[in-house]
Amino acid sequence: MAEKLKYFCNGQYVESKTDKYYDLHNPSTGEVTGYAPCCTAAEVNEAVAAAKAAFPGWSGTPAVKRAQIMYKIRDLIMEHMDELTMLVAEENGKVWAEAEGDVLKAKEGTELATQVPSLMMGESIMDASRGYDTVKYREPLGVFAGIVPVNFPAMIPFGWMAPTCIACGNTLVLKAASLTPRTALRIAELYKEAGVPDGVINIVTCSRNEINVLLDHPDIKGITFVGSTPVGKLIYERAAKAGKRVQALCQAKNHALVMSDTPIERTVAGVINSAFGCAGQRCMALSCCVVEESIADKFVAELKKQASNIKVGPAYDKTSKLGPITYKKHYDEVIADIDKGVKEGAQLVLDGRNCVVEGYENGYYVGPTVFDHVTEDMTIGRDEVFGPVLCIKRCKDFKEGLEIMNANPYANGSVIFTQNGYFAREFVRHTDGGMVGVNVGIPVPIGFFPFSGHKNSFFGDLHCLGKDAYRFYTESKTVTTRWFDEDEGKNTVVSTWDGTI
């Protein structure tokens, strides 16, 4: 039976007074599984007030104690791995291994947060000037807001946002994805079980109208956003104008440069995983391959061969390798993008439209789709499709290939496949991509390094994860100290000892 969800505020589930709810679907079947509230502006304000009230006590908790709680959260995530994996698969559509990876990335971000006592440490120097000692501390700021997309229900809210934010002593209001909120709500329960005080984390689901409350609210000190570039840019501009710090992680059009010396079969296997994993619904999906003309025909033939063998099926079937698109509206958008690619003249090598899975005919399935002879003036060559669609662009050599890649306005990730050390080094130096792979199809670094998109893939100064995250979620305070003896009128320093023994 479809369940009407509540929002999570001050450590409790609260029934919304809204008259508007979002239908939640199982994308593998198309069935309605529940309803998420579109929380009112008053309810969003209530969540902010709860976070503000919890801040003094939580920020005053020693960092070592906060780290111990993060260890407990990590352990609880592992204890509930299968349950959380099933939640991700059912509400998002990732196949089992991908859904488990989503949860494991939440664990990874939590493990980074356990290092808060060392990563929050400041700097100091004695006798910065004669008799003056200076210390820099890193302190929490207050209430942060996190705005979450549909595609990673565990990793983004509870790998990228909550762990470091909370471990640093801040409190948080999460605007969970309104179509995939169940995983976030369940992990919030685990946070409470681990000992996170009421009000430190609060979760609402709402529309863009209510999000404006978070962008303008004087008690919100910073915003972390993951989503589309147009929305991210608006959030960056509006929140920054209100004096808030912002990190906005936005969409991508990741490219790989495939050189003629690369082993084709192995390279194609890496491309397949990157392009079609998570049904292409990730900001590090490889959506374009720029291939040297001399091997392009062989590369495309092998690509078609391997992609045709991918098993499309329901998310929670552990034999499925490609699951459904997360929701119907986006499914329609992906189909429309494929139609547009055909209309604009790209060569459709493998068509994923009209993909039907027996017994799951109402699911939102798009099969692996490959276009060849794509150019930058085509919509599919320029803009993010966010589905299992791979475009092949052809180039004559390294220089032209790199130019094609850098001409794109997005620069989240970029990859080169080659056995040539010189080309690999030149690529690393000159690509615009913020996360770079050499023979690595998905160049996402482990969480101790930042998720560092560039150009229109990111707005802000400090990225999520790594040391950047600790700087984003803390404020520097520099303290200079000087001590005097009892006779202050003489303005002499306490100790007259000259340091000799």
Side-chain angles (χ1 to χ4, degrees):
M1 182 177 179
E3 173 190 11
K4 183 180 285 189
L5 302 185
K6 301 177 181 180
Y7 65 100
F8 189 80
C9 181
N10 203 26
Q12 307 293 327
Y13 279 116
V14 183
E15 187 166 351
S16 175
K17 294 181 173 63
T18 187
D19 59 359
K20 180 182 177 182
Y21 280 79
Y22 300 98
D23 290 352
L24 307 180
H25 291 82
N26 178 339
S28 295
T29 65
E31 296 173 329
V32 174
T33 58
Y35 308 95
C38 178
C39 292
T40 66
E43 290 164 347
V44 175
N45 278 314
E46 176 192 0
V48 176
K52 181 182 180 181
F55 175 70
W58 181 243
S59 62
T61 302
V64 171
K65 174 64 175 176
R66 297 198 300 263
Q68 290 170 348
I69 291 175
M70 300 313 295
Y71 276 115
K72 292 179 183 177
I73 293 169
R74 188 273 311 271
D75 292 344
L76 286 170
I77 288 173
M78 293 305 295
E79 287 176 24
H80 294 269
M81 179 60 65
D82 283 351
E83 175 197 355
L84 295 173
T85 298
M86 180 61 82
L87 278 173
V88 172
E90 286 182 336
E91 70 173 349
N92 171 268
K94 285 184 173 71
V95 299
W96 187 268
E98 295 165 349
E100 185 176 58
D102 193 335
V103 180
L104 286 171
K105 278 294 183 179
K107 179 188 77 78
E108 182 181 296
T110 306
E111 288 172 340
L112 174 67
T114 65
Q115 307 304 307
V116 63
S118 58
L119 289 175
M120 268 190 75
M121 282 196 299
E123 302 164 346
S124 64
I125 184 170
M126 185 173 284
D127 269 344
S129 184
R130 184 69 173 175
Y132 292 84
D133 303 330
T134 301
V135 177
K136 184 182 80 173
Y137 298 100
R138 302 209 69 89
E139 297 184 325
L141 284 85
V143 183
F144 278 80
I147 302 173
V148 180
V150 301
N151 61 323
F152 279 87
M155 181 188 77
I156 290 177
F158 287 99
W160 289 6
M161 298 179 183
T164 308
C165 176
I166 290 173
C168 286
N170 303 291
T171 56
L172 180 64
V173 177
L174 275 174
K175 201 298 288 185
S178 298
L179 301 181
T180 57
R182 280 196 169 104
T183 305
L185 290 167
R186 180 67 182 109
I187 297 179
E189 294 175 359
L190 299 182
Y191 268 56
K192 181 170 181 174
E193 183 178 340
V196 174
D198 293 348
V200 170
I201 186 163
N202 308 272
I203 299 180
V204 297
T205 47
C206 61
S207 73
R208 292 182 182 180
N209 293 329
E210 291 76 33
I211 286 175
N212 290 334
V213 172
L214 299 174
L215 302 183
D216 299 333
H217 202 296
D219 292 331
I220 297 289
K221 303 302 180 183
I223 305 283
T224 301
F225 166 84
V226 181
S228 72
T229 291
V231 175
K233 189 174 182 181
L234 287 172
I235 286 176
Y236 175 68
E237 292 171 349
R238 182 165 180 165
K241 186 177 181 180
K244 307 179 192 307
R245 53 180 62 188
V246 186
Q247 50 181 201
L249 291 83
C250 300
Q251 65 197 77
K253 190 68 175 177
N254 304 313
H255 284 57
L257 179 55
V258 181
M259 302 297 293
S260 59
D261 67 335
T262 191
I264 290 179
E265 187 174 337
R266 188 175 66 191
T267 297
V268 166
V271 168
I272 291 279
N273 181 45
S274 180
F276 302 127
C278 300
Q281 297 176 112
R282 53 187 176 193
C283 56
M284 286 301 288
L286 183 58
S287 56
C288 284
C289 282
V290 183
V291 186
E292 279 198 287
E293 185 68 50
S294 61
I295 64 163
D297 288 342
K298 291 181 180 179
F299 182 83
V300 172
E302 180 64 25
L303 188 63
K304 181 179 181 180
K305 174 186 171 183
Q306 290 193 30
S308 298
N309 292 326
I310 296 175
K311 181 181 177 181
V312 181
Y316 29 79
D317 180 344
K318 294 183 180 181
T319 66
S320 298
K321 299 302 181 185
L322 175 60
I325 301 295
T326 299
Y327 57 102
K328 180 62 164 61
K329 182 175 181 292
H330 186 54
Y331 165 86
D332 292 338
E333 291 169 347
V334 172
I335 296 299
D337 283 336
I338 297 172
D339 292 342
K340 186 175 292 186
V342 174
K343 184 177 180 180
E344 290 180 340
Q347 180 183 332
L348 187 57
V349 175
L350 189 62
D351 189 352
R353 297 172 295 181
N354 302 315
C355 179
V356 177
V357 176
E358 186 177 352
Y360 298 89
E361 289 79 6
N362 294 322
Y364 312 138
Y365 297 98
V366 178
T369 300
V370 178
F371 280 103
D372 195 5
H373 298 286
V374 176
T375 58
E376 199 64 20
D377 59 343
M378 296 176 182
T379 304
I380 58 168
R382 182 182 62 250
D383 298 335
E384 185 178 49
V385 175
F386 215 61
V389 179
L390 177 63
C391 299
I392 304 299
K393 301 176 181 179
R394 298 184 177 218
C395 66
K396 64 175 182 289
D397 55 22
F398 174 85
K399 182 176 182 294
E400 184 181 54
L402 185 61
E403 289 173 350
I404 290 171
M405 295 174 71
N406 284 346
N408 195 270
Y410 305 104
N412 228 25
S414 61
V415 176
I416 185 170
F417 289 99
T418 184
Q419 298 302 301
N420 185 300
Y422 171 79
F423 284 135
R425 186 173 185 272
E426 288 298 292
F427 182 84
V428 170
R429 289 183 63 203
H430 297 293
T431 181
D432 289 345
M435 288 165 283
V436 183
V438 178
N439 301 317
V440 175
I442 311 172
V444 177
I446 197 163
F448 296 103
F449 293 91
F451 192 92
S452 48
H454 291 173
K455 292 167 71 170
N456 284 348
S457 294
F458 179 77
F459 299 100
D461 300 303
L462 294 168
H463 298 273
C464 78
L465 297 176
K467 293 179 181 179
D468 271 22
Y470 278 87
R471 288 191 285 268
F472 181 76
Y473 287 119
T474 58
E475 185 72 278
S476 297
K477 178 181 284 185
T478 305
V479 180
T480 300
T481 304
R482 187 183 185 192
W483 296 98
F484 300 96
D485 65 12
E486 293 179 359
D487 189 356
E488 294 189 12
K490 292 183 179 180
N491 203 36
T492 55
V493 180
V494 171
S495 176
T496 57
W497 176 52
D498 64 3
T500 60
I501 296 177

